Amino acid sequence: MLSTLQVVTTVIVGLMVGVEFSVAVIMSRILDALPGDSRQQGHAHGGRLLGALMPFWYGGSLALSAVWAVAARDRPGTRLVVAAAGLLLLSVLMSVLLLVPINNRNKNWTPENRPADWEEQLGRWSRYHYVRVAVIIAAFAVASNPSRMILRATSARTSASSAATRRSLPA
């Protein structure tokens, strides 16, 4: 059960990191290269699509990490799982306090109603997003290490238990 939780958590967090890295490094550059009003409209559309999905992804990643930390509390590597959950909590706080307010304004902008400083606000969102991506990459890296440690410890216990069972069986 614990190994399944580790794998699911690691995959979910890893996919989230991949999506957010892609937004930071690829999608933002594509959108910024669009001509005229298309740039702002593309950012608004992306904000609507990902803004609906990401709260569940971030919250789910944090919840899975917290459950993993509790379930593995007596195992090697648990401190790293707690550290990863702490980094994911930081990313959620950054999202709620810094990025979501800008995104909520941006997703409703049109060329007719956007504020004069819309480019500055999108730039600020991008800078915050880069920092958040660094935080979740760190969370993923930290969470990946205990996965190996805890899985190895579980595997060693299973191997020892299997060897003991084989010794107790009649030949």
Side-chain angles (χ1 to χ4, degrees):
M1 175 68 174
L2 182 59
S3 58
T4 301
L5 178 61
Q6 293 169 246
V7 170
V8 168
T9 303
T10 303
V11 168
I12 296 293
V13 172
L15 289 171
M16 181 177 72
V17 167
V19 168
E20 293 289 40
F21 184 81
S22 175
V23 167
V25 175
I26 298 167
M27 292 307 301
S28 291
R29 289 185 179 158
I30 290 171
L31 292 172
D32 289 346
L34 293 174
D37 294 333
S38 298
R39 173 182 176 215
Q40 184 269 310
Q41 290 171 328
H43 278 282
H45 186 63
R48 284 189 296 275
L49 289 176
L50 290 174
L53 171 65
M54 297 317 281
F56 299 103
W57 212 337
Y58 274 84
S61 295
L62 177 57
L64 285 168
S65 296
V67 169
W68 177 9
V70 170
R73 66 187 165 277
D74 59 341
R75 308 253 176 125
T78 301
R79 287 183 181 165
L80 292 173
V81 178
V82 171
L87 288 167
L88 289 171
L89 176 61
L90 175 61
S91 74
V92 168
L93 291 173
M94 289 177 65
S95 298
V96 171
L97 298 174
L98 302 173
L99 290 118
V100 169
I102 296 170
N103 190 56
N104 284 343
R105 290 189 299 271
N106 171 54
K107 69 184 182 181
N108 295 313
W109 292 338
T110 64
E112 294 78 32
N113 73 358
R114 66 186 178 211
D117 70 339
W118 70 272
E119 290 177 301
E120 179 184 320
Q121 290 189 50
L122 287 181
R124 191 174 332 119
W125 185 93
S126 291
R127 288 187 299 279
Y128 292 151
H129 183 68
Y130 288 132
V131 174
R132 180 177 61 180
V133 169
V135 169
I136 63 173
I137 287 172
F140 178 68
V142 170
S144 297
N145 190 29
S147 288
R148 290 190 302 273
M149 290 171 61
I150 295 171
L151 285 173
R152 258 187 266 137
T154 302
S155 176
R157 277 194 297 272
T158 303
S159 296
S161 174
S162 296
T165 303
R166 282 193 301 272
R167 283 191 300 267
S168 67
L169 294 174

PDB file of all heavy atoms in Angstrom, residues 1 19 34 40 64 67 81 101 107 135 147:
ATOM      1  N   MET A   1       0.818  -1.198   0.000  1.00  0.00           N
ATOM      2  CA  MET A   1       0.000   0.000   0.000  1.00  0.00           C
ATOM      3  C   MET A   1       0.864   1.265   0.000  1.00  0.00           C
ATOM      4  O   MET A   1       0.623   2.179  -0.758  1.00  0.00           O
ATOM      5  CB  MET A   1      -0.928  -0.041   1.220  1.00  0.00           C
ATOM      6  CG  MET A   1      -1.746   1.199   1.424  1.00  0.00           C
ATOM      7  SD  MET A   1      -2.970   1.375   0.134  1.00  0.00           S
ATOM      8  CE  MET A   1      -3.860   2.761   0.731  1.00  0.00           C
ATOM      9  N   VAL A  19       4.063  20.096 -16.418  1.00  0.00           N
ATOM     10  CA  VAL A  19       3.119  21.063 -16.983  1.00  0.00           C
ATOM     11  C   VAL A  19       3.543  22.485 -16.642  1.00  0.00           C
ATOM     12  O   VAL A  19       3.585  23.360 -17.517  1.00  0.00           O
ATOM     13  CB  VAL A  19       1.677  20.780 -16.478  1.00  0.00           C
ATOM     14  CG1 VAL A  19       0.745  21.932 -16.804  1.00  0.00           C
ATOM     15  CG2 VAL A  19       1.162  19.485 -17.083  1.00  0.00           C
ATOM     16  N   LEU A  34       3.034  36.053 -30.026  1.00  0.00           N
ATOM     17  CA  LEU A  34       1.839  36.281 -30.838  1.00  0.00           C
ATOM     18  C   LEU A  34       1.656  37.775 -31.103  1.00  0.00           C
ATOM     19  O   LEU A  34       1.961  38.607 -30.251  1.00  0.00           O
ATOM     20  CB  LEU A  34       0.600  35.717 -30.133  1.00  0.00           C
ATOM     21  CG  LEU A  34       0.542  34.198 -30.003  1.00  0.00           C
ATOM     22  CD1 LEU A  34      -0.661  33.791 -29.162  1.00  0.00           C
ATOM     23  CD2 LEU A  34       0.488  33.541 -31.371  1.00  0.00           C
ATOM     24  N   GLN A  40      -2.375  38.769 -25.330  1.00  0.00           N
ATOM     25  CA  GLN A  40      -3.153  38.896 -24.090  1.00  0.00           C
ATOM     26  C   GLN A  40      -4.322  37.927 -24.083  1.00  0.00           C
ATOM     27  O   GLN A  40      -4.629  37.314 -23.059  1.00  0.00           O
ATOM     28  CB  GLN A  40      -3.622  40.347 -23.935  1.00  0.00           C
ATOM     29  CG  GLN A  40      -4.350  40.632 -22.634  1.00  0.00           C
ATOM     30  CD  GLN A  40      -5.841  40.419 -22.772  1.00  0.00           C
ATOM     31  OE1 GLN A  40      -6.475  40.916 -23.698  1.00  0.00           O
ATOM     32  NE2 GLN A  40      -6.412  39.676 -21.840  1.00  0.00           N
ATOM     33  N   LEU A  64      -1.625  14.174  -1.043  1.00  0.00           N
ATOM     34  CA  LEU A  64      -0.941  12.884  -1.199  1.00  0.00           C
ATOM     35  C   LEU A  64       0.385  12.875  -0.445  1.00  0.00           C
ATOM     36  O   LEU A  64       0.732  11.881   0.207  1.00  0.00           O
ATOM     37  CB  LEU A  64      -0.712  12.576  -2.679  1.00  0.00           C
ATOM     38  CG  LEU A  64      -1.932  12.132  -3.470  1.00  0.00           C
ATOM     39  CD1 LEU A  64      -1.631  12.145  -4.973  1.00  0.00           C
ATOM     40  CD2 LEU A  64      -2.392  10.748  -3.038  1.00  0.00           C
ATOM     41  N   VAL A  67      -0.340  12.574   3.308  1.00  0.00           N
ATOM     42  CA  VAL A  67      -0.740  11.199   3.643  1.00  0.00           C
ATOM     43  C   VAL A  67       0.478  10.291   3.626  1.00  0.00           C
ATOM     44  O   VAL A  67       0.663   9.446   4.516  1.00  0.00           O
ATOM     45  CB  VAL A  67      -1.839  10.692   2.676  1.00  0.00           C
ATOM     46  CG1 VAL A  67      -2.075   9.202   2.831  1.00  0.00           C
ATOM     47  CG2 VAL A  67      -3.132  11.469   2.899  1.00  0.00           C
ATOM     48  N   VAL A  81      10.143  13.400   2.845  1.00  0.00           N
ATOM     49  CA  VAL A  81       8.742  13.492   2.411  1.00  0.00           C
ATOM     50  C   VAL A  81       8.083  14.708   3.070  1.00  0.00           C
ATOM     51  O   VAL A  81       7.345  15.452   2.422  1.00  0.00           O
ATOM     52  CB  VAL A  81       7.968  12.196   2.744  1.00  0.00           C
ATOM     53  CG1 VAL A  81       6.506  12.323   2.338  1.00  0.00           C
ATOM     54  CG2 VAL A  81       8.601  11.002   2.069  1.00  0.00           C
ATOM     55  N   PRO A 101      -4.424  35.921  -7.724  1.00  0.00           N
ATOM     56  CA  PRO A 101      -5.059  37.236  -7.901  1.00  0.00           C
ATOM     57  C   PRO A 101      -4.779  37.863  -9.277  1.00  0.00           C
ATOM     58  O   PRO A 101      -5.686  38.428  -9.897  1.00  0.00           O
ATOM     59  CB  PRO A 101      -4.448  38.083  -6.769  1.00  0.00           C
ATOM     60  CG  PRO A 101      -4.084  37.086  -5.717  1.00  0.00           C
ATOM     61  CD  PRO A 101      -3.637  35.865  -6.482  1.00  0.00           C
ATOM     62  N   LYS A 107      -7.726  36.609 -16.628  1.00  0.00           N
ATOM     63  CA  LYS A 107      -8.598  35.704 -17.396  1.00  0.00           C
ATOM     64  C   LYS A 107      -9.893  36.376 -17.847  1.00  0.00           C
ATOM     65  O   LYS A 107     -10.572  35.863 -18.729  1.00  0.00           O
ATOM     66  CB  LYS A 107      -8.871  34.420 -16.620  1.00  0.00           C
ATOM     67  CG  LYS A 107      -9.712  34.558 -15.403  1.00  0.00           C
ATOM     68  CD  LYS A 107      -9.822  33.212 -14.689  1.00  0.00           C
ATOM     69  CE  LYS A 107     -10.707  33.296 -13.478  1.00  0.00           C
ATOM     70  NZ  LYS A 107     -10.788  32.017 -12.788  1.00  0.00           N
ATOM     71  N   VAL A 135      10.323  25.964  -6.851  1.00  0.00           N
ATOM     72  CA  VAL A 135       9.896  25.352  -5.587  1.00  0.00           C
ATOM     73  C   VAL A 135       9.328  23.954  -5.828  1.00  0.00           C
ATOM     74  O   VAL A 135       9.664  23.009  -5.112  1.00  0.00           O
ATOM     75  CB  VAL A 135       8.872  26.260  -4.852  1.00  0.00           C
ATOM     76  CG1 VAL A 135       8.214  25.529  -3.690  1.00  0.00           C
ATOM     77  CG2 VAL A 135       9.547  27.542  -4.370  1.00  0.00           C
ATOM     78  N   SER A 147      11.355   8.053  -2.060  1.00  0.00           N
ATOM     79  CA  SER A 147      10.674   6.965  -2.763  1.00  0.00           C
ATOM     80  C   SER A 147      11.630   5.801  -2.931  1.00  0.00           C
ATOM     81  O   SER A 147      11.283   4.656  -2.673  1.00  0.00           O
ATOM     82  CB  SER A 147      10.204   7.420  -4.148  1.00  0.00           C
ATOM     83  OG  SER A 147       9.136   8.294  -4.043  1.00  0.00           O
TER      84      SER A 147
END
